[in-house]
C-alpha cells in the first residue's frame, strides 16, 4: 500500500468517526432537550423566597444528563425548585451555593406525585438568572426559536 493510499484510508476512517460522533452527540442532546421541557402552568407563576438548604444534582434515569434542583427553605416550609441541566447552571457567572438567599419565580406543578417549582427566574443578591421565557421555553433550548 502506498503512502497516498494509506493517507486516503486514514481520511475516510477519520471522516467516518467524526460523523458517528456528531450523530451520537445529537442523539444525547435531543434526549436532554426533550427531558427539560418540564410541564409548567403559565397561569400559576408565583414567587418563593428562602435559603438554599441543599443543591441536588440528580442523574436522570432515561438520560445521561444531570438536573440541578435547589432544596429551598422558606417561611412556609421547604420546596424543591427545578433549575435546569447542570451543564447550563454550572456555566453561569454567579454560582448558587448552600446557604444563599434567593427568590425563585416559577410555576408549582406535581411531578410523579411530588410538588416541584419549575423556575423561570432566580434572583440572588443583585443578579437575575433567567431560565425560561414567557412561554415556558427553557433558555438552554434554542432549537426551533427564531427572531421573528
Amino acid at each position: 500500500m502506498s503512502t497516498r493510499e494509506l493517507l486516503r484510508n486514514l481520511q475516510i476512517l477519520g471522516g467516518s468517526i467524526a460523523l458517528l460522533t456528531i450523530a451520537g452527540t445529537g442523539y444525547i442532546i435531543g434526549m436532554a432537550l426533550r427531558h427539560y421541557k418540564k410541564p409548567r402552568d403559565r397561569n400559576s407563576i408565583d414567587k418563593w423566597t428562602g435559603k438554599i438548604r441543599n443543591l441536588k444534582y440528580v442523574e436522570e434515569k432515561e438520560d445521561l444528563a444531570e438536573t440541578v434542583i435547589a432544596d429551598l427553605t422558606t417561611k412556609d416550609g421547604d420546596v424543591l425548585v427545578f433549575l435546569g441541566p447542570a451543564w447550563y447552571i454550572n456555566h453561569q457567572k454567579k454560582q448558587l451555593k448552600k446557604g444563599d438567599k434567593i427568590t425563585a419565580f416559577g410555576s408549582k406543578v406535581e411531578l410523579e406525585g411530588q410538588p416541584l417549582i419549575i423556575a423561570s427566574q432566580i434572583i440572588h443578591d443583585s443578579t437575575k438568572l433567567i431560565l425560561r421565557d414567557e412561554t415556558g421555553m427553557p433558555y438552554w433550548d434554542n432549537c426551533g426559536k427564531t427572531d421573528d
Side-chain angles (χ1 to χ4, degrees):
M1 181 180 299
S2 71
T3 304
R4 177 176 273 165
E5 289 173 320
L6 180 62
L7 287 175
R8 178 70 180 143
N9 288 342
L10 287 174
Q11 286 175 335
I12 291 170
L13 178 62
S16 299
I17 291 171
L19 285 174
L20 287 173
T21 301
I22 291 168
T25 302
Y27 176 75
I28 290 170
I29 290 171
M31 285 183 63
L33 291 178
R34 269 182 268 124
H35 174 73
Y36 288 116
K37 292 179 184 176
K38 297 281 188 200
R40 179 179 176 273
D41 181 359
R42 285 193 287 172
N43 298 320
S44 73
I45 301 297
D46 208 344
K47 76 176 186 176
W48 294 262
T49 299
K51 283 191 176 182
I52 297 175
R53 187 168 65 155
N54 192 14
L55 282 174
K56 299 177 180 184
Y57 288 78
V58 180
E59 189 170 317
E60 298 299 328
K61 296 172 191 163
E62 63 273 2
D63 294 329
L64 298 177
E66 281 186 314
T67 299
V68 181
I69 298 174
D71 188 350
L72 192 64
T73 299
T74 71
K75 63 180 176 139
D76 297 322
D78 295 340
V79 294
L80 295 176
V81 181
F82 175 86
L83 300 175
W87 60 265
Y88 182 79
I89 301 300
N90 292 339
H91 281 90
Q92 302 303 313
K93 288 182 182 178
K94 182 81 170 180
Q95 293 294 304
L96 298 173
K97 62 187 179 310
K98 182 178 177 178
D100 285 346
K101 183 177 179 183
I102 65 169
T103 299
F105 293 85
S107 176
K108 188 174 185 178
V109 299
E110 273 199 27
L111 190 63
E112 297 179 4
Q114 299 295 320
L116 179 69
I117 308 306
I118 305 297
S120 55
Q121 71 175 290
I122 300 292
I123 297 176
H124 173 232
D125 295 331
S126 60
T127 303
K128 185 185 290 187
L129 172 59
I130 300 175
L131 300 167
R132 294 172 179 269
D133 66 17
E134 60 280 348
T135 68
M137 182 64 70
Y139 273 102
W140 56 86
D141 181 7
N142 288 326
C143 295
K145 285 185 134 183
T146 62
D147 293 334
D148 296 341

